[in-house]
Amino acid sequence: MIKLKGKAVFGGIVSGKIVFYSRDESVVEKRKIDNPDIELQRYEYAKSCALSQLNELYNIAVGDVGKNDAGIFLIQQMLINDIDFNKAVSELIMQEHYNADYAVAKTARDFSQVFSEMDSDYIKERSADLKDVCDRLIRHIQNKSENSFNVCERAIICADDLVPSETVRLDKSKVAAFCTCYGSSNSHTAILARTMNIPAIIGIGNGLLESYNGCEAVVDGYSGMLYIEPDAQTRAELEKKRIHEAKKKELLKRLKGKKNITIDGTEVKLYANIGGLSDIDSVIENDAGGIGLFRSEFLYLENDDFPDEEYQFYNYRRVLEQMNGKRVIIRTMDIGADKNISYFELEKEQNPALGLRSIRLCLERPEMFKTQLRALLRASVYGRLAIMLPMITDVEEIRRTKALIEETKRQLDSRNQPYSNNIELGVMIETPAAAIMSDRLAQEADFFSIGTNDLEQYTLAMDRHNLRLESYGPDHHTALLRLMKIACDNAHRYGKWVGICGEFGGDMSFAEVFLAMGIDEISVAPSVILPLRSKIRSLDVSGKEEILKKYGCAD
């Protein structure tokens, strides 16, 4: 038996036969050509063929994963039509007299290098799309047909990584699981796995060899383990785990419609964090009380130019309508730091995590910010909207935003476009400054939501993306809990409610201290809602002071 460890993307335990994804790699030679005009015509013909194919793939993907995730093929069409990309290819052909397939390959390599050096994981993942586009163009230039790939029943698809056009063409009814050597949680393989409930492991590394093709294997999508030719004992243990997890899921389903209330009668709201429209089904399926964090920056990350008012309005309206009157908290765009976008043309900063980001960027570019505010206000008549401001450190930032909102309302009045006057305006507590000044912030805001991811890294002065720092300091340092308690107390002093929207909120082992300090709402990934409800219903937090002392939050 061989055991390989990777990163779990979607839970589940399945068995099947390993099938390595095979692809025909195009061989590209570097040649000088005599007639660049003809070579450019070959490139233009390849573009038209590729665009036609991508449109077909988009229509297939809409049926499989919905419009939001199928949009990856619209992004690929944009890459093919990109002015800078086409200019670079054309110059290599017309000025340097290189063959078209080499010009495409070189340009794609150059662009991929630029993508890899960016801070944003989302942009880095676009390298896979660029490779997909490049291979497609080269196939058409070389007049080669696309490789067909058929899978057997219960196939565990293995590959170094899979590009979007490869995953969408697979017969998903035969795919038991995905396993890749590389990739990240933002990769298309990971997105497809989560959307279609297919167990998946990524980042297994070079140990995943093609020589395992045809081997029987079991995938544990909970722990991220791949067992190749497992022995009888391992199979029996995994089968027990599978049955146990299935029973847990069934038991959790019985909690739908139940209250999030402890044994002693302490109640808390459980909301969901989402990144876009495609997550709504999961929010409803898992019985969330509302949406505690809609990451609006994904509307910017998914486009190659600023999303206009109508596009944003459509997305916000759809979310509000589908939540059917439940509170929807939409965070204004949190761009900057690790979410940089080329078309924003932000200057390179020595430390972007401490630089021009989030609310600072919005206030520096008020016209751009007002476009988002107009879309939000217009959508507010279709549900219960709350707007949340990220990275607030000072009262003046809230006041300036309120002034922009009033200005935006006057613009909508002049257009005779309706909006609600019952919109809550909240702020994220994600810096020590915000927690320390929360008594003053609470007098301006309607609610707080504690962004524990950033609050923890700024409090401990530790980059949360730096794996080398994981061994330093205890998990969720007492200092973090104390700052959360300060914010919670100040919110309640002024009659405001307070929630958590960071990853820490889903940590079951800290649920009792969250309730003891008076957290009113916890927003987590949709799949965590029912397990967290189960945990809450098992707790007794009547001895709040003792619990707070236990976690170092009280003397």
Side-chain angles (χ1 to χ4, degrees):
M1 177 176 68
I2 297 166
K3 295 190 289 185
L4 299 175
K5 181 79 168 78
K7 182 178 179 181
V9 169
F10 188 81
I13 296 174
V14 294
S15 60
K17 186 174 289 187
I18 288 178
V19 178
F20 255 84
Y21 190 87
S22 61
R23 57 173 70 91
D24 293 330
E25 296 290 347
S26 300
V27 177
V28 177
E29 296 179 357
K30 180 180 179 180
R31 293 182 289 106
K32 290 282 187 174
I33 43 97
D34 296 325
N35 195 328
D37 290 324
I38 292 177
E39 205 69 10
L40 188 62
Q41 288 176 18
R42 292 177 66 206
Y43 171 61
E44 292 297 335
Y45 173 74
K47 276 177 56 182
S48 64
C49 292
L51 288 168
S52 177
Q53 281 186 339
L54 288 170
N55 192 51
E56 291 177 17
L57 287 169
Y58 171 75
N59 290 327
I60 294 170
V62 167
D64 281 347
V65 296
K67 284 188 177 182
N68 195 57
D69 289 331
I72 198 73
F73 295 107
L74 298 179
I75 291 172
Q76 289 197 3
Q77 290 178 53
M78 292 175 189
L79 284 172
I80 289 179
N81 287 318
D82 182 78
I83 295 172
D84 293 332
F85 184 85
N86 280 282
K87 181 181 178 183
V89 172
S90 298
E91 286 179 353
L92 285 170
I93 294 172
M94 299 303 293
Q95 296 178 19
E96 303 292 333
H97 288 204
Y98 284 122
N99 50 307
D101 43 349
Y102 173 75
V104 168
K106 184 179 186 311
T107 302
R109 280 199 305 272
D110 293 344
F111 274 56
S112 290
Q113 180 64 32
V114 173
F115 285 0
S116 68
E117 292 173 354
M118 290 187 176
D119 292 328
S120 168
D121 288 337
Y122 178 88
I123 298 299
K124 288 176 183 176
E125 284 301 326
R126 300 290 66 78
S127 293
D129 299 315
L130 194 59
K131 182 184 185 307
D132 203 1
V133 164
C134 172
D135 290 343
R136 186 174 302 283
L137 288 168
I138 289 172
R139 278 197 302 272
H140 286 298
I141 292 170
Q142 296 179 348
N143 200 25
K144 289 183 178 179
S145 58
E146 198 160 11
N147 181 40
S148 59
F149 182 75
N150 298 314
V151 297
C152 59
E153 294 285 344
R154 306 292 298 168
I156 298 173
I157 304 298
C158 295
D160 53 353
D161 200 2
L162 290 164
V163 295
S165 63
E166 292 169 341
T167 50
V168 80
R169 291 202 320 274
L170 291 170
D171 183 350
K172 263 66 76 179
S173 65
K174 296 180 179 179
V175 176
F178 290 116
C179 294
T180 63
C181 300
Y182 312 111
S184 77
S185 55
N186 294 320
S187 68
H188 190 74
T189 308
I191 292 169
L192 182 72
R194 287 192 292 263
T195 305
M196 303 197 71
N197 298 337
I198 297 174
I201 306 171
I202 60 172
I204 293 174
N206 296 329
L208 186 57
L209 306 173
E210 282 198 48
S211 58
Y212 298 139
N213 195 57
C215 292
E216 292 292 329
V218 179
V219 170
D220 183 349
Y222 298 108
S223 66
M225 293 295 299
L226 171 63
Y227 299 88
I228 301 171
E229 301 290 1
D231 55 41
Q233 182 181 347
T234 301
R235 281 186 178 275
E237 289 173 354
L238 288 169
E239 179 60 15
K240 282 183 183 178
K241 184 175 180 179
R242 187 192 67 77
I243 293 170
H244 178 67
E245 292 294 338
K247 285 181 178 177
K248 277 170 58 178
K249 285 184 178 179
E250 284 303 313
L251 287 171
L252 288 173
K253 286 180 181 177
R254 298 179 188 178
L255 290 174
K256 288 185 177 181
K258 304 287 187 182
K259 290 184 176 181
N260 313 303
I261 191 166
T262 62
I263 294 169
D264 61 294
T266 301
E267 192 168 359
V268 65
K269 294 180 174 64
L270 289 186
Y271 289 180
N273 297 335
I274 67 169
L277 293 175
S278 63
D279 298 326
I280 297 296
D281 288 344
S282 184
V283 171
I284 295 170
E285 172 65 22
N286 286 283
D287 198 31
I291 292 174
L293 173 62
F294 180 105
R295 300 180 177 94
S296 71
E297 58 270 15
F298 280 90
L299 301 182
Y300 296 78
L301 290 164
E302 293 167 355
N303 286 281
D304 63 351
D305 202 351
F306 294 98
D308 62 22
E309 183 181 324
E310 291 304 317
Y311 177 77
Q312 293 192 59
F313 165 66
Y314 167 79
N315 279 271
Y316 304 147
R317 172 180 172 174
R318 285 282 306 280
V319 171
L320 287 159
E321 286 177 331
Q322 290 184 59
M323 290 308 293
N324 198 28
K326 292 181 178 179
R327 181 190 275 133
V328 175
I329 302 173
I330 299 179
R331 179 175 69 186
T332 58
M333 59 174 178
D334 187 13
I335 300 297
D338 61 336
K339 288 177 289 217
N340 201 349
I341 305 176
S342 59
Y343 63 80
F344 272 72
E345 298 180 346
L346 298 175
E347 293 182 10
K348 192 168 182 64
E349 295 179 298
Q350 187 75 19
N351 194 336
L354 303 177
L356 187 65
R357 57 171 295 197
S358 308
I359 194 65
R360 300 167 186 169
L361 179 61
C362 289
L363 294 175
E364 184 163 294
R365 302 185 181 184
E367 291 307 316
M368 176 187 69
F369 192 21
K370 283 191 289 184
T371 298
Q372 180 173 37
L373 293 174
R374 280 195 301 272
L376 285 166
L377 289 172
R378 287 172 58 196
S380 66
V381 297
Y382 295 94
R384 186 183 176 189
L385 173 67
I387 297 174
M388 184 161 66
L389 308 178
M391 213 49 196
I392 292 293
T393 58
D394 185 71
V395 170
E396 190 58 29
E397 292 165 332
I398 307 175
R399 292 171 180 162
R400 289 175 63 188
T401 301
K402 285 182 173 179
L404 287 175
I405 290 174
E406 291 306 311
E407 185 179 335
T408 302
K409 286 180 178 180
R410 289 193 293 272
Q411 290 175 340
L412 294 179
D413 288 337
S414 68
R415 298 185 194 171
N416 292 318
Q417 290 179 312
Y419 54 84
S420 172
N421 281 308
N422 296 311
I423 302 171
E424 294 174 286
L425 181 66
V427 300
M428 291 191 71
I429 304 296
E430 49 188 339
T431 65
I436 293 167
M437 298 295 292
S438 56
D439 57 334
R440 296 188 181 179
L441 298 180
Q443 297 175 61
E444 292 287 343
D446 296 314
F447 66 92
F448 290 162
S449 188
I450 302 172
T452 55
N453 299 354
D454 271 334
L455 183 57
E456 182 173 31
Q457 82 163 348
Y458 292 135
T459 300
L460 302 182
M462 288 187 187
D463 181 359
R464 60 191 173 95
H465 298 296
N466 189 336
L467 298 178
R468 294 178 63 186
L469 297 178
E470 285 189 344
S471 61
Y472 288 86
D475 286 343
H476 307 302
H477 198 282
T478 304
L480 173 64
L481 289 170
R482 288 189 173 192
L483 287 175
M484 293 172 67
K485 177 70 164 52
I486 290 170
C488 205
D489 288 345
N490 283 327
H492 292 157
R493 187 195 311 174
Y494 291 96
K496 310 299 170 65
W497 63 269
V498 58
I500 301 174
C501 65
E503 294 299 315
F504 193 16
D507 192 327
M508 310 286 174
S509 60
F510 286 84
E512 63 174 354
V513 72
F514 296 154
L515 298 184
M517 69 173 63
I519 294 293
D520 302 291
E521 174 261 342
I522 303 175
S523 189
V524 292
S527 60
V528 179
I529 289 168
L530 292 177
L532 185 53
R533 177 175 295 166
S534 178
K535 176 67 176 180
I536 289 167
R537 290 172 66 87
S538 73
L539 295 173
D540 183 339
V541 295
S542 54
K544 291 182 173 57
E545 284 302 315
E546 289 303 313
I547 294 172
L548 292 173
K549 286 179 183 179
K550 172 183 168 183
Y551 288 90
C553 299
D555 296 329

